């Protein structure tokens, strides 16, 4: 699927989303702070991850294996959660 997705196959991209979304959700749920769990749905973060990744498909070309894709998606997911944590709990606006 990864090779086909690099080639621009929409069906392969859908397959990657279906195959890797459970992994992305696990990372998000492990990372999401308890104070944010009532304010956000994990799927919102997952959609943000996929929007970032699919918006820059050229990044897929640098990934050499399915494991590398999983690690990349996990890093993007953690970054999305940490970014929102800092925005929500690290500023006076939401205090």
């Amino acid at each position: 699927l990864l090779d086909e997705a690099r080639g621009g196959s929409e069906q392969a991209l859908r397959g990657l989303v279906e195959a890797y979304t459970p992994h992305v959700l696990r990372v998000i749920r492990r990372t999401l702070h308890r104070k944010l769990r009532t304010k956000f749905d994990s799927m919102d973060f997952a959609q943000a991850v996929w929007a970032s990744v699919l918006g820059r498909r050229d990044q897929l070309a640098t990934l050499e294996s399915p494991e590398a894709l999983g690690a990349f998606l996990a890093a993007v997911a953690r970054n999305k959660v940490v970014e929102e944590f800092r925005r929500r709990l690290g500023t006076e606006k939401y205090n």
Side-chain angles (χ1 to χ4, degrees), residues 15-60:
L16 286 177
V17 170
E18 288 176 16
Y20 283 90
T21 294
H23 172 67
V24 170
L25 286 170
R26 277 192 301 276
V27 172
I28 290 166
R29 289 177 181 143
R30 275 194 313 247
T31 311
L32 192 59
H33 191 274
R34 64 179 175 79
K35 289 183 178 181
L36 294 180
R37 290 182 187 183
T38 59
K39 295 177 178 30
F40 294 98
D41 183 23
S42 301
M43 190 53 88
D44 294 335
F45 283 106
Q47 289 173 351
V49 168
W50 286 113
S52 293
V53 171
L54 296 178
R56 301 229 16 227
R57 292 185 192 174
D58 58 318
Q59 294 173 333
L60 293 178

Side-chain angles (χ1 to χ4, degrees), residues 1 5 10 14 17 22 27 32-33 36-38 48 54-55 61-62 67 69 74-75 80-81 88 93 95:
L1 282 176
E10 293 294 322
R14 274 189 235 108
V17 170
V27 172
L32 192 59
H33 191 274
L36 294 180
R37 290 182 187 183
T38 59
L54 296 178
T62 63
E67 294 80 18
L69 175 60
K80 292 285 182 190
V81 173
R88 286 290 179 141
K93 179 178 179 181
N95 190 353

Side-chain angles (χ1 to χ4, degrees), residues 60-79:
L60 293 178
T62 63
L63 304 172
E64 297 184 12
S65 68
E67 294 80 18
L69 175 60
F72 175 71
L73 291 171
V76 173
R78 278 190 298 274
N79 288 343

